[in-house]
Amino acid sequence: MDPFDAGAGGLLKQPKSVWATAGASVVAFMGIGLVDPILPSIAQGLNATASQVSLLFTSYFLITAVAMLVTGFVSSRIGGKKTLLLGLAFVVVFAGLAGTSGSVGELVGFRAGWGLGNALFVSTALAVIVGAAAGGSAAAILLYESALGLGMACGPLLGALLGDASWRYPFFGTAFLMAVGFLCITVFLKEQPKPARKTSLLDPLKALGHGGLASAAVSAFFYNYTFFTVLAFTPFVLNMTPYKSGAVFFAWGVLLAVFSVIVAPRLQKRFGSLKVLGGSLVLLAADVLVLGYGSHTTAVVCTILSGAFIGVNNTVYTELALGVSDAPRPVASAGYNFVRWFAAAAAPYFAPKIEEWSDIHIPFVVAAVTAVAGAIVVVVRRKALTLPQALDSARAGRTPTAEEPEPQHATEDGVTVFAN
């Protein structure tokens, strides 16, 4: 089935509950890039250094990573809808409080609370969309990636528009939009059935015992370091007004959305997931290296261009995390995200520190090395990641080779999934 087919089960024909969850997901992902164009303004307004302001990302993603071990535990006990609403409530409260911050320490602390809410929401939203979407997991994943791309694109734009008046307004704006999302999910999303088995706090870690899922998580860890070096450190390098910086990252987000939803599936169908992922990671490494050593105009172009590679990578990694192991989707997603979000916390902290210890070019050298490291993991561990290749064979209409075993189908919550 073509997930873009407007017929029943296509990307455009989904229940209201799916659209409500996807809409709130857009705002949740907006919160990640929201502070990008206003980082210099926050530093100036709170008399903070670049490394201090970068802690806005570090605290956010560090809490997000740890909270991944809790999300399944919570959702399996109170249900998907209540978990989504709890996460949204946390974001509304802490995003609003962030706008009242009187010091960078307060702002970092409120972003940590925001990260907890976002973890509860985002990890559960993917499972809810996959479970409620018409047309199976392919259309659901593309819808989720569409929400991610749109949120990543609109976050910097909203941050620039509101932040031009005051760096506080984007936080208040996010709180308001998430409150709207809270109301939409309350009205349109029916309570999801609770899993037959409650998830323990250790289940996501146990799921990482699967070689394929562990390999995907480790590769994504290296990739996320590169991703968030671009997202959190580049605004200081570009040193542009909020409007100009917002425009750059809006264009970056548009490419991210287009390549994650439209280009990535077509490349996967033609070349296979692992070849696409490895090639995209190498190209991303080259891009950030040129970004670090090029002129200001070159840096702007390479920043925007990186959105294309990041979009492809995001889609492939999401499919790997959900399909490479036989663990339930929420458990596999939690274990995978637990590993990769630590890199998202590390990059914003270490990139400005590395600049202080060396020069402005070296953080991008490190980012290029980590992208290549992610590609090396994919190559070395390709046998553990052969299941998605079998999926690619089915998509392309060819017979799997001996190295590409035919996937077995199992159902979970009425949705077809693939298991060894």
Side-chain angles (χ1 to χ4, degrees):
M1 176 191 296
D2 182 358
F4 295 95
D5 186 357
L11 188 64
L12 302 179
K13 292 290 185 178
Q14 297 294 336
K16 290 181 180 179
S17 58
V18 171
W19 286 113
T21 307
S25 297
V26 171
V27 182
F29 288 119
M30 284 172 60
I32 296 176
L34 180 82
V35 299
D36 255 31
I38 58 172
L39 285 174
S41 300
I42 293 174
Q44 182 178 1
L46 296 178
N47 296 316
T49 65
S51 59
Q52 287 176 321
V53 172
S54 70
L55 291 175
L56 293 177
F57 285 99
T58 298
S59 64
Y60 181 88
F61 288 114
L62 186 61
I63 295 299
T64 297
V66 175
M68 286 299 165
L69 299 179
V70 181
T71 55
F73 178 87
V74 173
S75 63
S76 65
R77 284 162 175 77
I78 67 174
K81 180 177 181 178
K82 291 179 181 177
T83 304
L84 290 177
L85 293 177
L86 179 64
L88 287 171
F90 268 99
V91 174
V92 170
V93 171
F94 284 102
L97 289 173
T100 68
S101 300
S103 68
V104 69
E106 287 184 9
L107 185 54
V108 168
F110 292 141
R111 278 281 284 182
W114 186 343
L116 174 59
N118 215 52
L120 288 168
F121 177 82
V122 170
S123 62
T124 308
L126 177 56
V128 168
I129 289 175
V130 170
S137 59
I141 289 174
L142 285 180
L143 185 59
Y144 182 79
E145 291 298 334
S146 299
L148 188 155
L150 186 59
M152 287 289 195
C154 293
L157 193 62
L158 179 66
L161 293 174
L162 297 179
D164 188 61
S166 170
W167 65 263
R168 300 179 186 274
Y169 291 170
F171 297 107
F172 294 138
T174 299
F176 172 77
L177 290 174
M178 285 305 244
V180 173
F182 185 98
L183 292 176
C184 289
I185 288 180
T186 300
V187 173
F188 294 114
L189 181 63
K190 296 179 180 179
E191 183 55 77
Q192 304 293 298
K194 297 178 183 178
R197 176 181 173 274
K198 293 181 179 179
T199 302
S200 75
L201 294 175
L202 295 179
D203 280 350
L205 296 178
K206 292 177 181 178
L208 290 170
H210 186 281
L213 183 61
S215 300
V218 171
S219 178
F221 174 89
F222 288 119
Y223 156 65
N224 263 31
Y225 187 94
T226 308
F227 178 179
F228 284 92
T229 296
V230 173
L231 191 63
F233 183 65
T234 303
F236 291 105
V237 176
L238 298 180
N239 194 26
M240 303 167 78
T241 65
Y243 273 125
K244 291 182 179 179
S245 182
V248 168
F249 279 95
F250 173 72
W252 169 86
V254 169
L255 274 187
L256 188 155
V258 169
F259 274 75
S260 64
V261 177
I262 298 176
V263 178
R266 287 160 172 74
L267 290 176
Q268 287 175 274
K269 183 176 180 179
R270 181 170 181 179
F271 300 108
S273 292
L274 300 188
K275 290 181 180 179
V276 170
L277 181 59
S280 181
L281 286 169
V282 171
L283 290 173
L284 177 62
D287 181 79
V288 296
L289 202 57
V290 175
L291 192 164
Y293 281 92
S295 64
H296 187 270
T297 300
T298 301
V300 169
V301 172
C302 287
T303 299
I304 295 172
L305 183 60
S306 70
F309 307 124
I310 289 171
V312 171
N313 293 339
N314 285 348
T315 293
V316 179
Y317 275 121
T318 299
E319 292 191 5
L320 285 175
L322 293 183
V324 77
S325 77
D326 54 2
R329 286 189 303 271
V331 174
S333 178
Y336 162 78
N337 282 304
F338 172 73
V339 174
R340 76 182 183 108
W341 285 126
F342 275 111
Y349 175 77
F350 283 111
K353 288 293 184 182
I354 291 171
E355 181 198 8
E356 293 174 7
W357 299 333
S358 53
D359 61 54
I360 199 169
H361 307 297
I362 303 304
F364 295 100
V365 175
V366 174
V369 170
T370 55
V372 172
I376 291 174
V377 172
V378 171
V379 173
V380 173
R381 297 290 297 165
R382 61 187 179 278
K383 289 185 178 180
L385 300 170
T386 53
L387 179 59
Q389 290 180 333
L391 260 172
D392 293 336
S393 300
R395 286 176 181 155
R398 59 184 173 83
T399 303
T401 66
E403 289 78 24
E404 300 176 8
E406 190 74 51
Q408 300 173 5
H409 295 69
T411 59
E412 179 185 340
D413 300 332
V415 179
T416 300
V417 294
F418 295 85
N420 276 326

